[in-house]
Amino acid sequence: MANFGSPAHNAAMGNAGGMMVLAAAGVGFANAIGDAIAAGARARYEQRYDHALSAATSHADNMEGLARHAMTMLAELEAENARLRTACSQRQRVINALKARRS
């Protein structure tokens, strides 16, 4: 063996275990950083989703109130329309009666 007794080789072999531990720790640290970034992104996504859901629920509540108010107004307009039709019908009967008297 050409490296038998070489101090550099002996130092490298002596440090190999420590180097493997450091390499494994580096990979684990990189994975932990990746997991933390993914968790942060997930938390931001969930926060945006919750905010959008809350806004949509609030908008739906507002639209429900608006629809109820519109239905009330529609009922009032239908009642007014019925009153006007009755008044027009009565007026037309009077006009027809007056025309009948003239002829």
Side-chain angles (χ1 to χ4, degrees):
M1 294 204 182
N3 58 14
F4 181 74
S6 167
H9 179 264
N10 288 338
M13 289 298 115
N15 289 333
M19 298 289 273
M20 286 191 289
V21 168
L22 287 175
V27 170
F29 184 66
N31 286 339
I33 289 174
D35 291 345
I37 290 171
R42 179 70 181 174
R44 285 188 301 276
Y45 170 79
E46 288 178 2
Q47 184 179 16
R48 285 192 313 269
Y49 178 82
D50 290 344
H51 182 265
L53 182 61
S54 175
T57 303
S58 175
H59 182 70
D61 290 342
N62 291 340
M63 289 297 105
E64 181 182 2
L66 183 63
R68 288 182 186 278
H69 184 65
M71 292 303 293
T72 302
M73 290 176 65
L74 180 62
E76 291 170 359
L77 290 172
E78 286 176 345
E80 184 178 355
N81 188 23
R83 287 190 303 272
L84 290 172
R85 283 184 181 273
T86 301
C88 287
S89 176
Q90 290 172 352
R91 182 176 180 177
Q92 190 62 45
R93 282 196 301 268
V94 168
I95 290 171
N96 290 342
L98 291 174
K99 279 185 178 181
R101 272 196 233 167
R102 289 176 123 191
S103 354

